Amino acid sequence: MIKKNNLNLMIIYISTFCVGYFFSQVHIFEQRAVDAGLVLANIVNYPDDISPMREYFVKSWTSLHQISKIFLNFNWSFESISKLIIFVTAILYFVGIFLTINSTTKSIFISILIAILILVFQKNLGDIDYPSLVFSEHTYGMISLAMITCIFGLLFSGNFFFVGFCSSLLISIHPLVGIWISGIIIISLILNKYYLKVTINKKKLITGYAVGIFFTFVSLAYYFILTPEFNSYFDLESYNNYMKYWEGHRNETEIHLEYLSKTLVLFIFCFLSLKVFSNNFTNDFRFGVLCVLVSIILSITFYFLYKSLLPNIPDFFIKFIPGRFAILHSVIGWPIILGILFVITKKFEGKYFIPINFSYILITFIILSYSISHYKVFIKLQNLFINDNSKQIMLTKEKKFWNTAKKIKFDGYVLTSFSSSTISMRKTLKPIILDVSSLDFVPYFPNTAKNMSLIIEQIYGISFNNPPADIKNKPFLTDENIKNNFESYPEEKWKMLSEKFNFHGIIIPVDWKIKLKPTTKGESFALYII
């Protein structure tokens, strides 16, 4: 698809690197996958199995944890690894969008422009039960969506070796999504054989799969060899209470009509490219469109079946969040629509009063008009890219607090609130008893439900089978839910809870007035030692 000369390749390589660098600087999200890397690398050591966090961190199979561990072993900082993940994510998105647009327009300039602007505006078809995580701290959903976007772009451009490689490698990153896209490609190959009948380089596709599967197998073997046994046990009552009162993604009954309407537009454009204007597209693009159509049909079918069967759907299927698959065409949707619109418009140039090169004018007008109407996004990104002095002063003050907290030695866990959960482990390198900002790992590790329920009820003072209305079916505890309970506990209760649950540090917002004397204070948080 790309006219291979030195100038074109240089433009593409430089653009790709610059995009990755820019977004890694403006989207400074500390990645949750690196948290598990800290535990796997024995930088953060969990003393026992009281906390469900250790089982979650250690028993989660994803190569993202393993790669984070490797970089941490080479003394990379948490922030540097997080930036690297955003860097790779931006490149995957950029390549996928660029290849999709270039496979229709054949224009490197338009392809680069659209790819950059979609990432700048984080433009997608929207959210469904499972959100479109373009750039986020939630590494797993973000990376898997970026990989899927890249895989579709590779399909459109006929890079079948890398299609196979990325699809099989994705299994090691996000097993469910990796298996899904591999299944979509297999089904599409079968349908292509009997209906579309376009020529596909299956040899390269299989070779790519073989190489990717090798790395995935190595990751899985590494996981099984090094993952220890746990003493936790399955408690049906605790698990059922979690699924009924805390689970958020899987209990959503709302039908997301806006997202579905946009998906319908994408489906119509894809259908037109195969049935009405098929001669105007390459075989590679048509096969890629077939894969998109198969993904849309299957994912939306699962989505409606899931909605109609709730709450009677078997627990085995609930764990998979069937609605997640409908989000996988979210980012690639608009590039496909714009690309097909370009080709259809070009077909009618010189006819029906449509001037020559109107397709270029139309696409340019669409992206420029959207950019002008959303110009504030550019200002926001500029401010993020340029360091603000007042922010640096604030960070310096906070750094002093965290350095002090890190140097103070004590046994056991750290107890945290919503606002201090993730940052406490990352800055002090001490284990937190529960990350109350993200409690959504229970469906994958049902044995963790029991200890989670004990911690939430006895330490945080919140009923596990009757949570407050504002957090029901939301897998987190807000600071507002916690503050009054913590402030009401007498010193004796703190000591009793400390002994029972083996936590000897508390990091909470500095303005909370609990009945303990702070050991050190910062601008935002205070540390208490029991």
Side-chain angles (χ1 to χ4, degrees):
M1 286 300 165
I2 301 170
K3 190 175 181 180
K4 294 184 178 179
N5 60 55
N6 291 335
L7 179 60
N8 285 348
L9 290 176
M10 184 178 297
I11 292 172
I12 295 167
Y13 291 147
I14 292 175
S15 299
T16 303
F17 177 83
C18 289
V19 165
Y21 174 78
F22 176 79
F23 287 104
S24 68
Q25 298 303 307
V26 299
H27 295 303
I28 309 176
F29 295 111
E30 293 191 338
Q31 296 298 302
R32 286 185 175 271
V34 190
D35 291 330
L38 291 172
V39 178
L40 294 179
N42 295 319
I43 295 173
V44 174
N45 294 297
Y46 273 74
D48 51 46
D49 291 341
I50 291 176
S51 167
M53 300 304 299
R54 177 172 178 264
E55 183 167 355
Y56 162 59
F57 286 139
V58 175
K59 290 181 71 174
S60 299
W61 173 49
T62 168
S63 55
L64 292 172
H65 292 175
Q66 298 165 347
I67 293 170
S68 297
K69 174 185 180 296
I70 291 171
F71 280 108
L72 287 166
N73 286 337
F74 280 101
N75 295 320
W76 279 48
S77 67
F78 194 103
E79 294 77 10
S80 297
I81 300 172
S82 296
K83 283 188 175 185
L84 177 63
I85 291 173
I86 295 293
F87 178 83
V88 172
T89 300
I91 286 178
L92 289 171
Y93 279 131
F94 179 79
V95 169
I97 298 168
F98 171 84
L99 290 176
T100 300
I101 297 295
N102 191 74
S103 62
T104 54
T105 66
K106 310 297 189 297
S107 168
I108 290 178
F109 172 75
I110 288 181
S111 303
I112 290 175
L113 180 61
I114 292 177
I116 290 175
L117 290 178
I118 284 180
L119 290 181
V120 165
F121 297 116
Q122 299 191 43
K123 187 65 178 174
N124 54 70
L125 299 184
D127 296 329
I128 205 162
D129 296 348
Y130 202 80
S132 296
L133 303 172
V134 180
F135 293 110
S136 166
E137 65 172 330
H138 298 282
T139 321
Y140 319 102
M142 178 186 70
I143 282 283
S144 61
L145 186 56
M147 284 282 283
I148 290 292
T149 302
C150 186
I151 289 168
F152 279 131
L154 293 168
L155 281 166
F156 292 133
S157 59
N159 290 284
F160 290 104
F161 172 84
F162 288 105
V163 168
F165 176 77
C166 291
S167 299
S168 53
L169 187 65
L170 181 54
I171 297 174
S172 74
I173 295 173
H174 197 305
L176 286 177
V177 178
I179 293 171
W180 172 267
I181 191 62
S182 296
I184 293 300
I185 293 172
I186 291 171
I187 294 171
S188 299
L189 286 170
I190 295 172
L191 292 175
N192 177 66
K193 181 179 179 180
Y194 294 103
Y195 298 103
L196 202 59
K197 297 180 180 180
V198 299
T199 303
I200 299 299
N201 195 328
K202 296 179 183 178
K203 184 177 180 180
K204 285 189 176 182
L205 182 66
I206 294 171
T207 303
Y209 262 105
V211 176
I213 283 293
F214 170 77
F215 288 105
T216 295
F217 177 78
V218 170
S219 171
L220 187 60
Y222 179 86
Y223 167 79
F224 278 119
I225 291 171
L226 296 182
T227 301
E229 293 292 329
F230 286 83
N231 297 321
S232 59
Y233 64 94
F234 178 67
D235 182 75
L236 181 60
E237 181 181 3
S238 299
Y239 178 76
N240 286 339
N241 283 336
Y242 175 87
M243 295 302 293
K244 184 175 181 180
Y245 300 110
W246 295 89
E247 171 54 42
H249 294 310
R250 298 167 177 84
N251 292 327
E252 180 63 61
T253 58
E254 178 189 357
I255 301 294
H256 297 77
L257 295 178
E258 182 180 355
Y259 184 84
L260 294 175
S261 64
K262 293 176 182 177
T263 297
L264 178 60
V265 173
L266 173 61
F267 184 90
I268 292 171
F269 269 83
C270 289
F271 184 80
L272 288 174
S273 69
L274 288 186
K275 288 298 182 180
V276 181
F277 303 98
S278 60
N279 293 332
N280 300 97
F281 296 92
T282 64
N283 285 342
D284 294 332
F285 188 86
R286 291 163 63 199
F287 180 73
V289 166
L290 177 62
C291 292
V292 173
L293 285 173
V294 171
S295 182
I296 290 174
I297 292 170
L298 289 181
S299 64
I300 298 302
T301 300
F302 287 169
Y303 176 77
F304 279 110
L305 283 174
Y306 181 67
K307 296 291 185 180
S308 62
L309 292 175
L310 277 175
N312 300 316
I313 190 169
D315 183 70
F316 176 77
F317 294 103
I318 291 178
K319 290 180 180 180
F320 294 154
I321 319 181
R324 81 162 79 236
F325 302 118
I327 208 74
L328 296 180
H329 56 265
S330 179
V331 173
I332 204 66
W334 289 121
I336 295 173
I337 291 172
L338 288 174
I340 295 174
L341 178 63
F342 177 91
V343 172
I344 293 175
T345 305
K346 196 167 189 63
K347 179 179 173 59
F348 292 102
E349 286 181 358
K351 307 173 185 177
Y352 309 109
F353 305 104
I354 298 177
I356 300 297
N357 292 327
F358 181 73
S359 54
Y360 292 95
I361 298 172
L362 176 62
I363 296 300
T364 303
F365 173 77
I366 291 173
I367 58 181
L368 287 181
S369 60
Y370 187 88
S371 300
I372 293 171
S373 63
H374 294 76
Y375 71 94
K376 291 183 179 179
V377 175
F378 293 105
I379 298 174
K380 180 181 177 181
L381 288 176
Q382 181 185 22
N383 293 335
L384 288 172
F385 191 70
I386 300 172
N387 289 327
D388 181 72
N389 290 331
S390 61
K391 184 178 179 181
Q392 292 303 311
I393 293 172
M394 183 187 72
L395 290 175
T396 301
K397 292 180 179 179
E398 283 300 299
K399 186 176 181 181
K400 182 179 179 181
F401 166 78
W402 291 115
N403 285 341
T404 302
K406 182 179 179 180
K407 291 176 183 177
I408 296 175
K409 294 183 179 180
F410 57 87
D411 297 326
Y413 300 105
V414 177
L415 179 67
T416 60
S417 68
F418 178 95
S419 56
S420 64
S421 275
T422 53
I423 193 172
S424 292
M425 190 174 83
R426 295 166 185 172
K427 299 299 183 184
T428 68
L429 302 182
K430 293 177 173 63
I432 58 174
I433 192 167
L434 185 64
D435 178 3
V436 295
S437 69
S438 181
L439 305 172
D440 55 1
F441 53 83
V442 170
Y444 301 113
F445 306 100
N447 288 11
T448 61
K450 180 61 179 178
N451 281 2
M452 177 185 288
S453 67
L454 293 174
I455 292 169
I456 287 177
E457 288 194 335
Q458 297 186 32
I459 298 180
Y460 290 95
I462 294 173
S463 173
F464 200 66
N465 62 5
N466 187 28
D470 63 324
I471 57 171
K472 186 177 180 181
N473 294 123
K474 296 177 181 178
F476 54 78
L477 300 177
T478 68
D479 282 354
E480 290 73 22
N481 296 125
I482 301 169
K483 183 176 183 289
N484 290 337
N485 291 341
F486 276 21
E487 291 183 334
S488 68
Y489 293 166
E491 183 177 355
E492 293 73 20
K493 182 169 184 176
W494 280 119
K495 291 181 179 179
M496 181 273 292
L497 291 172
S498 171
E499 292 178 6
K500 183 175 182 179
F501 289 95
N502 192 26
F503 69 87
H504 298 283
I506 304 173
I507 298 179
I508 53 177
V510 70
D511 59 342
W512 289 18
K513 307 298 181 184
I514 68 172
K515 297 177 176 62
L516 292 172
K517 184 178 180 180
T519 302
T520 183
K521 290 183 177 182
E523 292 292 310
S524 302
F525 301 105
L527 168 66
Y528 301 81
I529 302 295
I530 302 178

